[in-house]
């Protein structure tokens, strides 16, 4: 601190010296200017007058002289001249007075020693005044680092430690009071909110009726009720005895049985209607769609319905969609889980969205597509390029884009010139082999299955191949299903017919050129242990040798080609009425069967559909033996 004070004292002394020097310079400059002005103002008036008289001599008095001699004060300066003017400068601020204007110039006689006097013109003089200002010289500003230094008063010193603590304490107390005030305000607001919530709001009768009848309230209640019902679904058996073997699980031979998991029926949907088709969702394994025909006892209800059932919702369907005609086929889109597609008896293709209402969001026109019932639907392709293939009993196969159903993307008319009465082929079923989009097989009402090509390929033209026919059934083919993906089993397919049989076929390679003469391909095996029409036959998606059948007696049968070729491995009477359709879920653990009574039966296959490591080899040996016996 002492050194700092010494530096400040030196700076102050230097500043004082600079100010003193500047004041001395200013005083000296002022004195010089005053001396110069005093010397210039000392003008001898008598000398000027003598000079003038000697030059002009005696002359007559001018009006100016008659009016009186001009009086020149100590600060007046006469202006003389004949051919010149004489100006005497005065000091700063000197004012020269000007007399009255003089008369015109007067001619005078001037005596000359050489001759007669000559006339000379006497100039007349005028007095003028002027003001002279003295401006101080511009001050030169010089940069000095020391001059710009901020002075610090020696009286200012560091705060004492006690003062700092006192100020900090004051700030803390202020913040604490503000925080306490905020807490009190928040507690007051919470108390007010709780008091408002505690108050019971009573609605009038009109308000209550308006809310109950509003569509938004009904939709909200419907959605919340579905959530509650799904949450209440609990199939845990609290009376289970883990020390005993459950009854009905195995037979004496130790084989598993088919067990009924759920039967879906709702009088508001299923009454007096038959289940025409069933399909499982590929994205949500608990959802299943069922297609229904019309109810002849309710003409005011929609002709066709599609109900989406949930395995966790037993009493009613998750969604109900309506259609202007009987829905004969239904399927979920493999690439959009919200889309449900149906084929109608009127020939229309209908598309519903689970995010929309009950009506179709898209549908095909009555003209320009199918005009006969659509009994076959199949979505083929990949995620970025897929199409819906449909076939109807008028022999027309159409390819549709699911986002544009105004007209078909492709149309292929199937005809057979060898038919006796008509060239048309009445298609009742259709299926594609795995990873195949251009070639497929159709089943017809005449009991014959034909290979079909969508496009021209080497040795095969687009359309129906009438030379290579799978001819064996004596009645219409109700179902045709290719084997699930497998390296050497993808060419196997089953046909179920109204002639009370199911036949196993090996498809002819699609790339092989068609034969020039008619050739009937024989089945590998015929399953004839049925007592009524066989409406459907479907392969298990996980077990290579297992398939299920549904017939007109209401029996659901499970066949295992590695176990027995003559009798089914398991049979259960699901209904007293016929079963129309079957569908396996993707894991292969459950199978759904739709009955004519409007009920959808879901059975647990259990270990019956669980494959073993050697099942594929056993099936290969069995098929080799069947092929050798042809």
């Amino acid at each position: 601190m002492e050194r700092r004070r010494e530096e400040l004292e030196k700076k102050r002394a230097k500043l004082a010296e600079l100010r003193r020097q500047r004041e001395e310079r200013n005083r000296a400059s002022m004195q010089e200017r005053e001396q110069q002005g005093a010397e210039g103002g000392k003008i001898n008036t008598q000398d000027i007058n003598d000079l003038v008289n000697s030059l002009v001599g005696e002359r007559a008095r001018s009006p100016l002289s008659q009016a009186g001699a001009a009086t020149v004060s100590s600060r007046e300066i006469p202006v003389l001249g004949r051919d010149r003017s004489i100006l005497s400068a005065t000091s700063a601020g000197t004012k020269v007075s000007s007399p009255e204007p003089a008369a015109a110039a007067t001619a005078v006689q001037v005596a000359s020693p050489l001759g007669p006097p000559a006339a000379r013109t006497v100039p007349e003089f005028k007095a003028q005044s002027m003001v002279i200002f003295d401006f101080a010289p511009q001050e030169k500003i010089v940069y000095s680092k020391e001059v710009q230094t901020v002075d610090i008063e020696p009286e200012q010193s560091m705060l004492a430690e006690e003062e700092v603590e006192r100020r900090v304490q004051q700030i803390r107390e202020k913040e604490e009071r503000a925080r306490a005030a905020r807490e009190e305000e928040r507690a007051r607001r919470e108390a007010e909110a709780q008091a408002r919530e505690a108050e019971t709001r009573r609605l009038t009768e009109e308000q209550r009726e308006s809310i109950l009848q509003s569509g938004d309230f009904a939709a909200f209640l419907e959605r919340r009720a579905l959530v509650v019902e799904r949450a209440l679904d609990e199939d845990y058996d609290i009376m289970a005895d883990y020390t005993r073997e459950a009854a009905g699980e195995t037979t004496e031979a130790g084989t598993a049985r088919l067990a009924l998991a759920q039967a879906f029926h709702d009088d508001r949907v299923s009454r007096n209607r038959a289940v025409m088709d069933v399909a499982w969702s590929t994205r949500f394994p608990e959802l299943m769609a069922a297609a229904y025909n019309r109810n002849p006892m309710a003409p005011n209800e929609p002709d066709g319905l599609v109900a989406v059932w949930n395995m966790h919702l037993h009493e009613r369907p998750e969604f109900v969609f309506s259609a202007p005609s009987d829905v004969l086929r239904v399927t979920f889109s493999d690439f959009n889980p919200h889309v449900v597609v149906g084929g109608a008896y009127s020939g229309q293709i209908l598309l519903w969205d689970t995010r929309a209402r009950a009506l179709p969001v898209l549908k095909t026109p009555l003209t320009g597509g199918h005009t006969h019932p659509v009994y076959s639907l199949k979505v083929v392709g990949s995620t970025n390029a897929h199409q819906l293939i449909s076939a109807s009993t008028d022999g027309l196969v159409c390819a549709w884009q699911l986002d544009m159903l105004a007209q078909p993307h492709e149309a292929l008319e199937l005809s057979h010139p060898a038919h006796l009465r008509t060239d048309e082929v009445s298609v009742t079923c259709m299926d594609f082999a795995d990873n195949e989009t251009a070639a497929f097989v159709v089943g017809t009402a005449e009991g014959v299955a034909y290979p079909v090509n969508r496009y021209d390929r080497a040795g095969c033209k687009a359309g129906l191949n009438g030379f290579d026919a799978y001819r064996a059934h004596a009645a219409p083919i109700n179902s045709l299903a290719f084997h699930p993906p497998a390296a050497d089993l993808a060419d196997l397919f089953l046909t179920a017919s109204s002639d009370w049989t199911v036949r196993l076929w090996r498809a002819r390679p699609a790339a092989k050129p068609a034969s020039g003469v008619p050739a009937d391909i024989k089945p590998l095996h015929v399953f004839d242990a049925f007592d009524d029409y066989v409406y459907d036959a479907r392969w298990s998606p996980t077990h290579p040798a297992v398939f299920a059948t549904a017939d007109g007696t209401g029996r659901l049968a499970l066949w295992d080609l590695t176990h027995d070729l003559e009798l089914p491995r398991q049979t259960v009477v699901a209904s007293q009425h016929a079963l129309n359709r079957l569908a396996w879920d993707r894991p292969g653990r459950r199978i759904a069967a739709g009955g004519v009574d409007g009920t959808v039966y879901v059975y647990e296959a259990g270990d019956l559909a669980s494959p073993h490591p050697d099942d594929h080899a056993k099936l290969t040996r069995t098929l080799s033996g069947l092929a050798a016996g042809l």
Side-chain angles (χ1 to χ4, degrees):
M1 289 298 294
E2 294 297 332
R3 185 176 61 181
R4 180 62 176 169
R5 290 178 182 176
E6 291 177 358
E7 291 178 356
L8 292 176
E9 291 296 335
K10 291 179 181 180
K11 289 181 180 179
R12 289 193 186 92
K14 192 171 185 178
L15 288 174
E17 180 65 22
L18 291 174
R19 293 192 189 99
R20 186 184 61 76
Q21 294 177 2
R22 184 175 60 181
E23 290 175 358
E24 290 179 356
R25 288 195 299 270
N26 291 339
R27 284 196 299 270
S29 62
M30 290 296 293
Q31 290 175 1
E32 291 178 1
R33 286 195 295 271
E34 290 176 358
Q35 292 176 2
Q36 292 176 1
E39 292 175 357
K42 291 180 182 180
I43 301 175
N44 193 345
T45 307
Q46 185 63 34
D47 294 340
I48 294 174
N49 292 334
D50 293 342
L51 177 62
V52 172
N53 292 331
S54 65
L55 292 175
V56 299
E58 293 296 331
R59 63 183 178 85
R61 290 288 181 180
S62 63
L64 178 63
S65 61
Q66 294 177 0
T71 302
V72 180
S73 64
S74 62
R75 291 188 175 271
E76 293 179 347
I77 304 174
V79 180
L80 306 177
R82 177 175 166 182
D83 292 326
R84 61 183 180 180
S85 298
I86 299 175
L87 178 64
S88 178
T90 61
S91 61
T94 303
K95 179 177 181 182
V96 181
S97 62
S98 177
E100 294 294 329
T106 305
V108 296
Q109 295 292 330
V110 179
S112 175
L114 299 180
R120 295 182 62 182
T121 303
V122 179
E124 294 184 0
F125 301 96
K126 296 181 181 181
Q128 295 181 353
S129 63
M130 59 179 16
V131 180
I132 300 175
F133 296 95
D134 183 17
F135 294 97
Q138 186 177 2
E139 183 181 1
K140 183 181 293 185
I141 300 175
V142 181
Y143 174 78
S144 178
K145 185 175 182 181
E146 296 178 352
V147 172
Q148 294 183 355
T149 304
V150 179
D151 295 339
I152 299 178
E153 297 297 334
E155 291 78 9
Q156 295 180 357
S157 59
M158 300 298 293
L159 296 176
E161 184 177 356
E162 293 78 3
E163 181 67 16
V164 173
E165 292 180 356
R166 186 183 62 80
R167 294 185 180 182
V168 171
Q169 185 64 25
Q170 290 178 355
I171 295 173
R172 289 179 179 177
E173 291 177 356
K174 184 177 180 181
E175 292 179 353
E176 185 67 22
R177 289 193 298 269
R179 187 183 63 80
R182 290 194 300 269
E183 292 291 338
E184 292 179 359
E185 180 66 17
R186 186 176 63 179
R188 184 183 62 80
R189 292 180 180 179
E190 291 180 355
E192 292 178 356
Q194 293 177 358
R196 287 194 299 268
E197 293 178 358
E199 294 179 358
T200 303
R201 182 183 176 186
R202 298 188 179 277
L203 301 177
T204 63
E205 291 295 332
E206 295 180 357
Q207 292 176 340
R208 187 181 295 106
E209 291 297 328
S210 176
I211 293 175
L212 293 177
Q213 294 177 3
S214 64
D216 294 340
F217 178 76
F220 168 79
L221 188 62
E222 182 72 16
R223 292 193 302 269
R224 297 304 98 188
L226 290 175
V227 173
V228 172
E229 291 183 23
R230 289 197 297 264
L232 293 177
D233 176 53
E234 181 61 58
D235 54 0
Y236 178 71
D237 186 8
I238 61 174
M239 301 299 295
D241 187 356
Y242 297 104
T243 62
R244 298 177 56 188
E245 187 175 25
E249 290 295 328
T250 58
T251 60
E252 296 179 357
T255 58
R257 289 182 178 274
L258 289 171
L260 179 64
Q262 186 65 40
F264 295 107
H265 184 89
D266 187 357
D267 286 343
R268 294 172 297 180
V269 176
S270 309
R271 188 175 183 181
N272 297 326
R273 297 179 187 268
V275 179
M276 306 303 295
D277 196 13
V278 290
W280 290 90
S281 173
T282 57
R283 180 70 61 86
F284 305 106
E286 69 275 9
L287 296 184
M288 175 190 55
Y292 297 87
N293 64 353
R294 73 176 60 197
N295 181 3
M297 306 302 296
N300 296 328
E301 294 182 359
D303 289 346
L305 292 177
V306 173
V308 179
W309 298 93
N310 192 328
M311 290 299 296
H312 303 292
L313 194 64
H314 303 164
E315 301 299 329
R316 54 175 174 162
E318 187 83 21
F319 304 101
V320 177
F321 304 119
S322 60
S325 180
D326 301 26
V327 183
L328 304 180
R329 290 293 178 266
V330 68
T331 182
F332 281 94
S333 173
D334 294 339
F335 310 104
N336 190 343
H338 304 288
V339 172
V340 181
V341 184
Y345 185 81
S346 62
Q348 290 181 292
I349 305 297
L350 309 172
L351 188 145
W352 298 275
D353 195 319
T354 57
R355 297 164 295 186
R357 296 186 179 273
L359 296 176
V361 296
L362 289 176
K363 61 181 177 180
T364 60
L366 292 174
T367 58
H370 297 291
T371 57
H372 285 60
V374 178
Y375 281 100
S376 299
L377 291 176
K378 184 73 173 181
V379 179
V380 297
S382 61
T383 303
N384 299 324
H386 55 273
Q387 294 176 331
L388 174 69
I389 309 299
S390 61
S392 60
T393 55
D394 58 355
L396 187 65
V397 177
C398 297
W400 309 85
Q401 298 290 344
L402 290 179
D403 56 351
M404 196 274 291
L405 298 180
Q407 58 183 3
H409 182 67
E410 299 174 7
L412 181 64
E413 187 174 357
L414 305 182
S415 61
H416 196 321
H419 283 180
L420 297 178
R421 297 183 180 180
T422 177
D423 294 345
E424 294 183 356
V425 176
S426 180
V427 179
T428 57
C429 53
M430 168 192 68
D431 199 11
F432 287 76
D434 181 51
N435 295 328
E436 182 63 58
T437 60
F440 56 96
V441 178
V442 297
T444 63
E446 60 184 282
V448 182
Y450 296 99
V452 180
N453 293 317
R454 293 177 60 188
Y455 314 107
D456 293 337
R457 57 172 65 187
C460 300
K461 293 184 178 181
L464 184 140
N465 181 8
F467 296 101
D468 298 333
Y470 305 94
R471 194 185 307 272
H473 288 291
I477 299 177
N478 299 320
S479 171
L480 188 150
F482 268 93
H483 196 280
D488 54 346
L489 304 176
D491 57 348
L492 295 178
F493 68 93
L494 295 169
T495 55
S497 172
S498 296
D499 63 356
W500 299 13
T501 63
V502 173
R503 299 177 187 267
L504 176 64
W505 307 82
R506 186 177 288 277
R508 189 173 181 271
K512 185 178 180 181
S515 58
V517 295
D520 293 341
I521 302 175
K522 296 182 180 180
L524 294 177
H525 188 70
V526 178
F527 305 93
D528 55 0
F530 300 96
D531 299 331
D532 206 329
Y533 298 160
V534 184
Y535 289 105
D536 202 0
R538 296 289 166 180
W539 290 99
S540 169
T542 55
H543 199 299
V546 172
F547 67 92
T549 60
D551 59 23
T553 61
R555 290 193 308 169
L556 173 63
L558 217 61
W559 298 75
D560 189 346
L561 298 183
T562 61
H563 184 266
D564 194 347
L565 295 177
E566 301 301 329
L567 296 175
R569 186 174 183 180
Q570 284 294 317
T571 301
V572 61
V573 179
S575 173
Q576 299 300 322
H577 303 277
L579 297 178
N580 278 335
R581 284 290 158 180
L582 297 176
W584 290 86
D585 65 350
R586 175 161 289 190
R589 304 290 297 178
R590 293 178 294 206
I591 182 170
V596 177
D597 58 353
T599 305
V600 179
Y601 304 93
V602 180
Y603 282 87
E604 294 283 351
D607 293 338
L608 290 173
S610 298
H612 297 85
D614 57 343
D615 286 338
H616 189 276
K618 291 181 180 180
L619 178 60
T620 302
R621 290 194 296 268
T622 301
L623 295 177
S624 300
L626 293 176
L630 295 178

